[in-house]
Amino acid sequence: MAGFWVGTAPLVAAGRRGRWPPQQLMLSAALRTLKHVLYYSRQCLMVSRNLGSVGYDPNEKTFDKILVANRGEIACRVIRTCKKMGIKTVAIHSDVDASSVHVKMADEAVCVGPAPTSKSYLNMDAIMEAIKKTRAQAVHPGYGFLSENKEFARCLAAEDVVFIGPDTHAIQAMGDKIESKLLAKKAEVNTIPGFDGVVKDAEEAVRIAREIGYPVMIKASAGGGGKGMRIAWDDEETRDGFRLSSQEAASSFGDDRLLIEKFIDNPRHIEIQVLGDKHGNALWLNERECSIQRRNQKVVEEAPSIFLDAETRRAMGEQAVALARAVKYSSAGTVEFLVDSKKNFYFLEMNTRLQCLSREAGGNMSIQFLGTVYKVNILTRLAAELNKFMLEKVTEDTSSVLRSPMPGVVVAVSVKPGDAVAEGQEICVIEAMKMQNSMTAGKTGTVKSVHCQAGDTVGEGDLLVELE
């Protein structure tokens, strides 16, 4: 077991009933980060092997049972780790996820509601009932859903159930983008120019956007992970962005409040990993660059960033630590910044949760080398072996049909048979992956038939609307 040192003072995480030994958690987080970083400053992080200096108790008791309040890949990761530690697990699921992998992996499973996330994975009453029913001693929230919800953490504390994550003060302070921006300013952290209050309606959004100056970024106050975010370049886009972002925010986080900031064109998204304990110690573990994104979701993370110089890196790290100390942060977290072409950096948000990282990537990609573009298909060895059995998909003319791009729920349908529509006009809205997707007409024409209605659950490729 190794302890962490910052200068000459040991960094000791305050252990709570049933967790992994705090030093093991801190070491694991640092080693995972070290895999992706070429070097670290000796002043930033030094690992000591002096066991006697950290007060580690090898007999510290672990939990008997943990409920995982999430689904998919992150739930599987948590359940797999619990199995290795000899801890029983409880999975929660919606009625349509009853056969999911995480449900089969867990020792117990409880259905918490129907398919819409607002009625299942965000349903705190149903989840609290599942905790009481299974007698789980702790809850691991994963990322997304309730992982940064202060009310959920308070409900757990009231029932003497441990929330595996930071305390409620840090969640509240950093989970709300409006409050976190105000705290960042107070801690002398660089912030993006914008409106610091809550935007009441679409018309107020337009007024604020005009005052800030286009383009602007509309985003959910309680959000994260790219959800509830829209860029607006004019008044019309501001009104549409306000409507869609507020719907996404309500669906994903149960909070439809929005804020508006100046949009920084051609920015780099660079984040700093921080660690803190309950004794006032905090440190930063260098950066990851996440500028390659799709739909505001990170696709590739690179460490270290080739854009930063040593001076900018140090300044960003020091501001990240200053913010962590300002909210008395006592866990692993990530402070995100936007960096412009002149290396000016601005606080974006702080994630008081696990980061969603994947070790595998693949699919069809384009690589440009010396002016020549090469089309490549990256597959795992197993996928490559099975690929020969796959039939080639015939490309469909989609100009006259509108199909669902992914599984989701139809939120609204704006047309009916016989209606005339223009190319680019909104036809319907689908909630998929906790985001509101505006589906538009591929050409100017007349609606021939509508195959869905609000509330319908649709699958990938399902026919929604036909045009003629």
Side-chain angles (χ1 to χ4, degrees):
M1 180 63 63
F4 285 118
W5 292 75
V6 184
T8 58
L11 175 65
V12 183
R16 293 164 78 177
R17 173 175 58 86
R19 285 192 177 186
W20 279 6
Q23 288 72 31
Q24 185 177 347
L25 280 173
M26 299 285 275
L27 178 61
S28 176
L31 292 180
R32 282 198 300 271
T33 306
L34 280 167
K35 288 197 305 180
H36 303 287
V37 181
L38 298 180
Y39 67 92
Y40 277 80
S41 166
R42 183 176 300 274
Q43 288 75 24
C44 175
L45 173 66
M46 181 172 67
V47 179
S48 168
R49 298 193 178 278
N50 185 348
L51 298 180
S53 64
V54 295
Y56 163 57
D57 181 7
N59 298 316
E60 185 176 19
K61 188 178 182 298
T62 61
F63 292 119
D64 297 318
K65 185 185 293 186
I66 291 174
L67 183 141
V68 184
N70 217 298
R71 64 180 176 185
E73 177 261 352
I74 182 57
C76 292
R77 279 169 51 187
V78 174
I79 293 170
R80 193 177 299 116
T81 301
C82 287
K83 285 183 179 294
K84 291 179 180 179
M85 298 178 66
I87 300 173
K88 293 183 178 180
T89 54
V90 180
I92 62 170
H93 62 88
S94 66
D95 52 8
V96 297
D97 290 337
S99 298
S100 296
V101 175
H102 78 284
V103 175
K104 295 179 179 179
M105 288 179 63
D107 297 292
E108 300 176 53
V110 180
C111 181
V112 290
T117 56
S118 60
K119 298 180 180 179
S120 52
Y121 297 97
L122 289 170
N123 187 342
M124 284 191 282
D125 291 338
I127 295 173
M128 291 302 299
E129 188 61 32
I131 293 168
K132 295 175 183 178
K133 178 181 177 181
T134 59
R135 297 184 179 179
Q137 299 165 309
V139 171
H140 197 304
Y143 48 71
F145 292 133
L146 297 171
S147 63
E148 297 175 275
N149 188 302
K150 60 183 182 295
E151 295 302 327
F152 183 56
R154 287 196 183 110
C155 288
L156 293 175
E159 296 294 332
D160 197 28
V161 177
V162 175
F163 180 79
I164 301 178
D167 58 32
T168 56
H169 168 70
I171 294 175
Q172 177 174 348
M174 293 293 99
D176 186 305
K177 285 185 171 63
I178 296 173
E179 184 176 352
S180 66
K181 187 174 180 180
L182 295 174
L183 286 169
K185 285 183 176 180
K186 188 175 181 180
E188 299 184 349
V189 176
N190 303 340
T191 58
I192 301 172
F195 180 67
D196 295 332
V198 178
V199 184
K200 297 178 182 178
D201 53 41
E203 293 309 312
E204 184 180 30
V206 170
R207 179 183 61 78
I208 293 169
R210 289 174 178 173
E211 291 175 356
I212 296 173
Y214 288 109
V216 296
M217 174 70 81
I218 303 169
K219 56 186 180 182
S221 173
K227 300 173 184 66
M229 294 176 60
R230 291 290 188 284
I231 301 169
W233 295 82
D234 55 38
D235 292 354
E236 183 179 353
E237 290 187 1
T238 298
R239 291 187 180 93
D240 289 341
F242 180 90
R243 175 174 61 87
L244 294 171
S245 293
S246 59
Q247 289 173 354
E248 278 182 17
S251 174
S252 299
F253 312 110
D255 185 344
D256 63 357
R257 292 177 303 145
L258 301 177
L259 59 87
I260 298 180
E261 294 177 335
K262 179 68 177 177
F263 174 66
I264 299 176
D265 204 3
N266 296 319
R268 287 177 178 262
H269 186 143
I270 299 176
E271 57 190 30
I272 304 289
Q273 186 78 55
V274 294
L275 293 174
D277 66 12
K278 292 185 180 296
H279 303 281
N281 298 302
L283 58 83
W284 57 279
L285 299 174
N286 283 32
E287 82 285 352
R288 298 186 296 264
E289 177 156 354
C290 318
S291 300
I292 301 176
Q293 301 186 4
R294 178 179 179 272
R295 295 165 61 85
N296 297 318
Q297 296 277 5
K298 303 163 191 173
V299 177
V300 176
E301 297 197 358
E302 181 182 8
S305 168
I306 61 173
F307 181 70
L308 296 185
D309 53 43
E311 182 179 351
T312 307
R313 176 179 292 110
R314 185 180 302 108
M316 292 175 69
E318 289 172 353
Q319 289 201 15
V321 167
L323 182 61
R325 285 178 173 153
V327 295
K328 300 178 181 179
Y329 197 75
S330 59
S331 183
T334 305
V335 180
E336 300 187 1
F337 293 94
L338 287 182
V339 186
D340 66 20
S341 59
K342 296 182 180 179
K343 294 188 173 71
N344 298 309
F345 59 89
Y346 307 94
F347 169 70
L348 185 61
E349 65 178 349
M350 182 176 186
N351 293 327
T352 58
R353 54 168 169 76
L354 290 176
Q355 290 290 90
C356 38
L357 302 175
S358 175
R359 293 176 291 179
E360 295 185 359
N364 295 314
M365 299 184 181
S366 296
I367 299 176
Q368 183 171 332
F369 178 70
L370 298 179
T372 302
V373 177
Y374 300 91
K375 300 290 185 179
V376 296
N377 187 19
I378 301 175
L379 301 172
T380 64
R381 185 181 299 277
L382 176 60
E385 292 174 353
L386 297 175
N387 194 50
K388 61 185 177 182
F389 300 108
M390 299 296 291
L391 297 176
E392 186 173 347
K393 188 174 181 179
V394 178
T395 303
E396 180 184 24
D397 178 12
T398 58
S399 62
S400 298
V401 296
L402 185 64
R403 294 186 180 276
S404 177
M406 62 187 76
V409 177
V410 178
V411 176
V413 179
S414 307
V415 298
K416 62 183 182 298
D419 285 354
V421 296
E423 181 179 354
Q425 179 181 331
E426 182 176 284
I427 300 283
C428 63
V429 177
I430 293 180
E431 179 189 333
M433 296 181 68
K434 298 187 290 182
M435 299 185 73
Q436 302 284 322
N437 299 274
S438 177
M439 310 300 297
T440 59
K443 69 173 186 179
T444 299
T446 303
V447 178
K448 179 181 178 181
S449 58
V450 178
H451 299 270
C452 64
Q453 60 183 359
D456 285 354
T457 299
V458 295
E460 180 179 358
D462 285 0
L463 183 61
L464 304 174
V465 176
E466 290 182 273
L467 302 178
E468 58 182 4

